[in-house]
Amino acid sequence: MARHFSLLIARGCLAILVLAPVIALFFFIDIDAFAAMAKRSLSLPIQWQTVSTEQWYGLWLLTMVYLSVGLAGLYFLHRAFTNFARGEFFNPSNSRDLRLFSIFLFAQALAKPLHFALSSLLLSMNHPADQKMLSISLGGSEVKVIALAMILWVTSDLLVKGGKLETENRQFV
């Protein structure tokens, strides 16, 4: 069962890694669709009518940089779960891949408030001087992701120790 679940996770990661650039390209071509989505998802008191096309492209680029951190992490998660699906649980490669995934997960959790702050600054750039804004948001979801990243870091160490025990066990049998 673990192998089937691992294969499902690996394929899900691969699907996201393939679809994300396609969706990003769609939003680059149809920047109005991106703007509509951003207006719905960002809860900022922005004067939306003043936001220029260049600002929307700037937000698109900023968002792609933010998302690329998560996609890099998904690449390493895909590699680890592909090995798990093959039955290769305890090896240094899995440990390294899970550790890199946890690093990218941690980095993305820290980058989320920065992305939100830069987005608010970018979108309010054309506002009058007293109406420009810098909004920072840090919530429980970021704290949960940071905790998960730390748990995965420890798990990657356990894989190395498990591999050593497995090798030692084979030598005695």
Side-chain angles (χ1 to χ4, degrees):
M1 185 68 172
R3 287 185 182 182
H4 295 296
F5 192 58
S6 296
L7 184 62
L8 180 67
I9 292 171
R11 287 186 179 164
C13 290
L14 186 60
I16 292 170
L17 288 169
V18 169
L19 287 176
V22 173
I23 294 169
L25 183 61
F26 167 77
F27 281 130
F28 181 78
I29 293 169
D30 189 358
I31 200 68
D32 292 330
F34 176 76
M37 183 188 67
K39 287 176 188 176
R40 281 191 308 272
S41 63
L42 291 173
S43 53
L44 291 170
I46 299 289
Q47 298 171 12
W48 297 112
Q49 68 278 7
T50 66
V51 179
S52 69
T53 303
E54 292 79 19
Q55 287 172 288
W56 287 121
Y57 279 111
L59 181 64
W60 178 89
L61 182 61
L62 183 65
T63 303
M64 293 309 112
V65 169
Y66 168 72
L67 290 177
S68 67
V69 174
L71 291 175
L74 273 183
Y75 169 75
F76 291 108
L77 187 67
H78 164 73
R79 285 175 42 132
F81 275 90
T82 298
N83 286 340
F84 293 159
R86 290 186 198 129
E88 301 170 12
F89 295 103
F90 302 110
N91 66 36
S93 174
N94 289 346
S95 175
R96 180 181 42 79
D97 290 340
L98 278 180
R99 181 165 290 167
L100 287 169
F101 172 70
S102 71
I103 290 169
F104 281 108
L105 190 64
F106 186 79
Q108 191 172 36
L110 293 179
K112 186 176 181 183
L114 180 64
H115 175 264
F116 191 75
L118 291 175
S119 297
S120 68
L121 190 62
L122 176 69
L123 293 173
S124 67
M125 210 165 38
N126 327 10
H127 291 190
D130 61 334
Q131 294 179 4
K132 291 182 183 184
M133 62 186 328
L134 176 62
S135 180
I136 297 175
S137 173
L138 181 64
S141 62
E142 289 83 19
V143 174
K144 289 176 191 175
V145 171
I146 289 170
L148 177 62
M150 287 190 255
I151 290 168
L152 287 171
W153 181 277
V154 171
T155 303
S156 71
D157 280 344
L158 293 175
L159 286 177
V160 170
K161 289 181 170 94
K164 289 177 183 175
L165 288 173
E166 184 179 60
T167 302
E168 188 178 304
N169 209 14
R170 272 190 255 145
Q171 291 172 351
F172 286 117
V173 174

